Structure formats: structure tokens, C-alpha cells
Amino acid sequence: MNTRAWIVFLDESGVSLLPQVRRTYMPRGRTPLLRHRLNWKRASMAGALGYHAADPGRGPRLCFHLKPGSYDTVGLIEVLEQMKVFYRGERVVLVWDGLSAHWSRAMRAWVAEQDWLTLERLPAYAPELNPVELLWSSLKKRELANLAGNHLADVADATEQGIRRINDNPRLPWSFLAHTGLTLHPPTPQN
């Protein structure tokens, strides 16, 4: 693995106008009511959480993309093109799961033309190894919890607010990585 590159974990998740129902507190005897329109409109979000392998002092970097509908190969290539600009063309080792759009012929052909990008695949059925899963959990338990928006823009605003919260606290992305048990640096060999 290239130690002078950014190690970037990427994952997608979905949100909808149906609220993420979570526990809440209310005075005793007053059951909370969550009123919403029964609406199935959905949006998809892609998050790329990067850590520099050779210089952890550069801090983690979070790249985020939100779009109505769902991601396909073309949508993911658009995300990767934005990620190239975000990382200013520096070398990136992208770690993601086995979603079919990640490994489609069109995606592999596009990646073959990119000199800045190397792909690595997470083991099957191992979401606990992807720190972006913890990012989604944090967003859905805070900003999106019990949110009964009328429009996808309400969900998008709350999501972007959560991304700002995570970006403003650099310890959170490091904690996401630590929770996976993965390290950026191999241990120093002993003599």
C-alpha cells in the first residue's frame, strides 16, 4: 500500500422523508407523537472519509455528496471526480465494499484511466471495518433522529448540519477509524 497516499473509505447510505424514529424523553404520561406525511421520497448520500497514511498530522478529511434517488456507476464516477478535486489530485487509495456499481466494467474502465486512484475492496459482510458506517450512525442518531421534514431539502439541510458538526470536531473522524480497529501505520519492526 502506498504510504504517501490518502487512505479514503467510501460508503453510500440512503435517507427518506420517513423519519428515523429514535427514543426521546417526554414528561411522564405524555407519549411523544411524531407527525409526518407518509412520503417515500428518497435521497442517497456518499461519504468519503480520508486519513493521510504518512502524515496523520494533516488530519482526517471528509468529502460528502447528496443526491435525489440512488447511486449507480455514473453517479459514483461523478462522486469520484469531485473527490479528485477535493484531494487536489493527490494519490488516493480508495477502500470500499463490494457493491456492484463499485466493480462494474464501466467503473473499472474509468479507474484504469486514473493515475491518482487505487481501489481496495473491503471483505464481504464487514461493515464494521468501514469508518463511514459510524459517520452514518452518528448522523442518523442526532440530526436525522425523529426528523419529520416536508421536503427532501429539510433532510438535506439536517444532513449537511451533521456533516459540519463532524468536521468541526476532528476527534470524531479519528474515533470512527479507531472503532474499526484498523491502523494507518504498521507497527515498527523489532530488532
Side-chain angles (χ1 to χ4, degrees), residues 14-25 32-36 45 135-149 154-163 165:
V15 290
S16 74
L17 289 178
L18 294 177
Q20 301 277 332
V21 178
R22 297 289 183 255
R23 279 189 180 186
T24 188
Y25 294 98
L33 297 177
L34 188 57
R35 298 187 197 289
H36 64 90
M45 43 191 184
L135 172 116
W136 300 143
S137 178
S138 179
L139 282 175
K140 290 178 180 182
K141 288 180 181 175
R142 296 250 333 241
E143 285 77 15
L144 298 176
N146 301 320
L147 175 67
D154 299 332
V155 175
D157 290 344
T159 303
E160 288 172 4
Q161 191 175 33
I163 293 296
R165 171 183 58 86

Side-chain angles (χ1 to χ4, degrees), residues 10-12 95-104 120-126 130:
L10 189 137
D11 193 40
E12 305 83 19
V95 183
W96 58 6
D97 57 26
L99 183 71
S100 60
H102 293 174
W103 302 98
S104 68
E120 294 292 336
R121 187 177 189 157
L122 283 168
Y125 307 107
N130 193 338

Side-chain angles (χ1 to χ4, degrees), residues 4-88:
R4 296 178 192 231
W6 286 91
I7 309 301
V8 179
F9 295 87
L10 189 137
D11 193 40
E12 305 83 19
S13 185
V15 290
S16 74
L17 289 178
L18 294 177
Q20 301 277 332
V21 178
R22 297 289 183 255
R23 279 189 180 186
T24 188
Y25 294 98
M26 287 292 288
R28 188 177 296 236
R30 294 184 56 199
T31 303
L33 297 177
L34 188 57
R35 298 187 197 289
H36 64 90
R37 297 178 184 181
L38 186 59
N39 193 324
W40 292 95
K41 286 188 181 175
R42 294 188 55 82
S44 294
M45 43 191 184
L49 192 48
Y51 307 89
H52 199 278
D55 186 7
R58 293 176 77 175
R61 298 197 65 201
L62 175 58
C63 182
F64 178 75
H65 188 266
L66 181 73
K67 72 177 234 105
S70 59
Y71 285 105
D72 58 4
T73 300
V74 173
L76 287 170
I77 288 173
E78 179 183 310
V79 170
L80 294 177
E81 287 172 343
Q82 290 180 4
M83 198 171 81
K84 179 180 182 179
V85 172
F86 184 76
Y87 283 100
R88 298 181 189 101

Side-chain angles (χ1 to χ4, degrees), residues 113-130:
E113 298 172 0
Q114 309 303 312
D115 61 348
W116 63 279
L117 184 62
T118 304
L119 297 182
E120 294 292 336
R121 187 177 189 157
L122 283 168
Y125 307 107
E128 69 278 3
L129 295 178
N130 193 338

Side-chain angles (χ1 to χ4, degrees), residues 164-183:
R164 278 193 299 276
R165 171 183 58 86
I166 292 167
N167 263 336
D168 290 345
N169 182 352
R171 291 185 317 204
L172 267 178
W174 283 117
S175 72
F176 297 159
L177 180 66
H179 192 273
T180 66
L182 300 173
T183 59

